[in-house]
Amino acid sequence: MIPLQKNCKQLAKFYLGATGAVWDVKCVSTVSSLFQPICLPPKDATIKKDEPTSKSQKLFSELGIVRQSSPGLFVLTPLGIRSLEKLVKVVDEELKNVGCQKLQLPILTAGNLWKTTGRWESTGLELLTIKDRHGRDYVLSPTHEEAITDLVACLPQLTHKQLPLKLYQITSKFRDEIKPRFGLLRSREFTMKDLYTFDKTVETAQQTYELVCKAYDTIFQRLNTPFVKVAGSTGNIGGLSSHEYHFPSSIGEDDLRLCPVCHFGTNAELSPLDICTKCGSTNMKDTKGIEVAHTFLLGTKYSEVLNAFFSSDDGTRSVCQMGCYGIGISRILAASVEVLATESEIRWPKLIAPFSVCVVAPKGGSKEESAISFAHFIASQIDQMQSFMQDVILDDRGATTIGKKLMEAKRMGYPFIVVVGRKSMEQVPLIELYDLTKNTQNVFTVAQLFDYLKMSSS
Ligand SMILES: [Zn+2]
């Protein structure tokens, strides 16, 4: 029989007794110590007509996830960076699965490389440039085709055996936007993953292209956010063909044409036709999209002018066939929230929520006060579970009620919210669990709660 007791330390001991574990609260992240610069707009604030805003921008700023430092430049707070690092991990895993290797190029690229390819002029005013004390020009790189091609060109003995070569980085990129807007969706500094591939022939380059596209499909499927892949324009990057990945959203800046019959789609700037070029359907649907990734089959546009050659079997030298592939890392944080959130509550792709679990503890001095240490115990137990390792935040604020904490945790969009309250003081302690992904609410015993969380993460 479970004894009636209000001392939660004893209660915890009771539960752990059988396993012989010791009552020991490991250090869990807490809301009371979190650096979260919340930025609530003043009550009488009116949004200026020329200042468009987006859901993600508003929620990120109000909830202390992202903070603007000057137009188009943003601080990612500890919450924002946690989310970004989770996304980076997913991208790293999938790219390494297809043989890509990570490196890091300098953010500054020598201006003469950009002059050689002609992009110093063709990029226009969006290109941020600086001069050093010797008067040499540099580009605050928006992308690194020149830098990476120059790197490969400088390898004296690149042979066909080393190809395909797939090199990528995840770093800050820069674009001098005339009108930065919508927070991380269109900023002047942003985090981008850029991959560059080098192949022997047009055919093998095409195979590499398809392999990388498959990895991209997997990344977006894992994010579990609705996306479309469409034929895109090659624009200023150039090349033979390209595809874009979009999150459909009314706030998107691209017009897309999607065929509901064969699911083929194009960026509207590529095809003003009302007929699907693949299946002939005349039922093309228009939608807006936020571009989150772009792939290009480049051909030899960069390798030719920057001399990226390799030696083949018989010793002859041939020019490398290239591809380049971007993913807007910081943009995806905002774009996914733009698509999934309600007007007042964030919803994350489960994989990239800053914390997966929030445990709500009672307020100090409340009737439930004696359950506070039980909440600490529950939080530290979940935080040691394989799939939630260091991924739990405990709302331990002493002066805030359970109701308010629950409301705020829902606004933050933590996928699992565990409430330790009045029911936790009953003979058999019960715990409430809110599963925001499934939009369900359950009352569980401790064992049921741990089982549920284990099941949900497998
Ligand atoms: Zn079609």
Side-chain angles (χ1 to χ4, degrees):
M1 202 190 102
I2 296 166
L4 175 69
Q5 51 184 323
K6 291 201 171 162
N7 184 328
C8 294
K9 251 187 188 182
Q10 278 178 328
L11 197 63
K13 221 174 213 170
F14 177 84
Y15 271 97
L16 293 170
T19 60
V22 185
W23 165 251
D24 174 26
V25 175
K26 287 263 163 15
C27 185
V28 175
S29 301
T30 56
V31 173
S32 65
S33 60
L34 183 68
F35 178 71
Q36 185 182 9
I38 283 173
C39 180
L40 287 175
K43 282 216 168 84
D44 56 351
T46 45
I47 293 170
K48 282 187 225 150
K49 271 210 174 105
D50 58 345
E51 256 179 50
T53 181
S54 69
K55 254 195 301 190
S56 59
Q57 181 182 15
K58 183 171 163 286
L59 289 166
F60 280 177
S61 154
E62 288 183 8
L63 296 172
I65 295 163
V66 165
R67 197 177 169 90
Q68 180 169 303
S69 59
S70 58
L73 299 175
F74 296 91
V75 176
L76 288 183
T77 71
L79 288 167
I81 209 77
R82 279 187 69 93
S83 185
L84 186 103
E85 283 172 352
K86 285 185 174 187
L87 178 57
V88 165
K89 185 168 170 273
V90 173
V91 171
D92 279 341
E93 280 168 9
E94 296 308 328
L95 290 186
K96 284 171 183 169
N97 270 344
V98 292
C100 302
Q101 301 178 62
K102 198 171 185 175
L103 49 54
Q104 188 169 307
L105 298 160
I107 281 171
L108 296 180
T109 304
N112 58 15
L113 286 176
W114 280 68
K115 288 171 188 166
T116 307
T117 60
R119 289 211 297 175
W120 180 269
E121 286 79 23
S122 71
T123 308
L125 293 172
E126 284 191 355
L127 194 68
L128 269 169
T129 59
I130 58 162
K131 264 189 206 302
D132 71 7
R133 65 175 73 195
H134 306 293
R136 282 186 291 248
D137 287 318
Y138 290 89
V139 171
L140 270 160
S141 310
T143 169
H144 283 79
E145 284 78 10
E146 283 81 358
I148 195 99
T149 312
D150 183 56
L151 171 74
V152 169
C154 292
L155 303 174
Q157 340 71 338
L158 185 69
T159 76
H160 65 101
K161 286 181 191 157
Q162 290 161 278
L163 304 181
L165 197 52
K166 294 168 250 177
L167 302 171
Y168 79 101
Q169 59 173 351
I170 299 179
T171 55
S172 272
K173 308 288 187 293
F174 298 84
R175 187 164 42 208
D176 196 0
E177 289 285 350
I178 186 164
K179 237 187 186 174
R181 56 197 175 280
F182 302 144
L184 296 183
L185 289 181
R186 193 160 279 280
S187 52
R188 294 197 291 165
E189 178 179 357
F190 47 97
T191 307
M192 192 171 90
K193 187 284 298 171
D194 44 333
L195 161 71
Y196 306 91
T197 60
F198 298 82
D199 265 279
K200 284 180 278 190
T201 63
V202 175
E203 290 72 31
T204 59
Q206 181 72 41
Q207 285 163 13
T208 300
Y209 186 82
E210 276 153 27
L211 188 73
V212 174
C213 283
K214 231 180 223 169
Y216 271 34
D217 292 343
T218 312
I219 289 166
F220 288 111
Q221 281 155 8
R222 284 183 67 186
L223 284 179
N224 208 11
T225 305
F227 74 95
V228 290
K229 179 184 174 187
V230 301
S233 145
T234 52
N236 188 41
I237 303 251
L240 310 171
S241 75
S242 93
H243 288 90
E244 302 167 359
Y245 289 74
H246 289 264
F247 289 167
S249 161
S250 58
I251 210 164
E253 295 185 337
D254 286 86
D255 292 303
L256 311 178
R257 323 219 69 194
L258 304 175
C259 172
V261 179
C262 70
H263 301 294
F264 174 75
T266 64
N267 192 311
E269 67 183 8
L270 207 65
S271 158
L273 299 173
D274 285 328
I275 299 171
C276 173
T277 50
K278 237 183 189 168
C279 75
S281 162
T282 52
N283 200 16
M284 296 292 274
K285 293 268 180 285
D286 289 336
T287 182
K288 292 268 188 190
I290 306 172
E291 187 187 324
V292 286
H294 208 150
T295 58
F296 298 86
L297 199 54
L298 287 175
T300 58
K301 172 176 172 175
Y302 297 90
S303 47
E304 191 110 52
V305 284
L306 294 170
N307 302 314
F309 287 84
F310 67 96
S311 54
S312 19
D313 247 346
D314 54 7
T316 54
R317 293 182 44 81
S318 313
V319 66
C320 292
Q321 294 286 335
M322 285 178 62
C324 75
Y325 312 79
I327 294 184
I329 300 288
S330 49
R331 183 182 278 189
I332 285 179
L333 296 196
S336 56
V337 165
E338 205 60 55
V339 173
L340 302 174
T342 70
E343 282 306 320
S344 58
E345 294 183 351
I346 293 183
R347 289 297 176 271
W348 300 92
K350 214 167 163 182
L351 272 186
I352 64 168
F355 288 94
S356 294
V357 183
C358 176
V359 176
V360 171
K363 181 185 170 193
S366 66
K367 280 185 214 147
E368 298 86 13
E369 185 180 26
S370 62
I372 290 177
S373 59
F374 190 55
H376 281 254
F377 162 72
I378 293 289
S380 77
Q381 288 296 299
I382 302 171
D383 202 52
Q384 289 170 60
M385 286 166 70
Q386 182 80 41
S387 36
F388 298 107
M389 202 71 84
Q390 297 184 349
D391 201 17
V392 175
I393 186 154
L394 172 68
D395 195 342
D396 61 337
R397 288 172 298 166
T400 312
T401 62
I402 289 179
K404 183 147 193 278
K405 289 178 182 176
L406 174 61
M407 193 191 80
E408 290 184 14
K410 283 183 175 170
R411 280 203 89 195
M412 284 296 304
Y414 295 125
F416 299 107
I417 305 169
V418 175
V419 179
V420 175
R422 191 175 45 79
K423 292 194 182 82
S424 307
M425 296 158 64
E426 289 175 8
Q427 203 162 5
V428 177
L430 297 174
I431 296 150
E432 280 177 77
L433 177 81
Y434 295 80
D435 183 330
L436 294 199
T437 315
K438 291 190 183 146
N439 202 16
T440 57
Q441 177 187 351
N442 285 294
V443 178
F444 287 140
T445 63
V446 176
Q448 285 171 335
L449 171 72
F450 292 168
D451 281 349
Y452 184 92
L453 289 174
K454 260 178 214 153
M455 290 274 288
S456 306
S457 59
S458 57

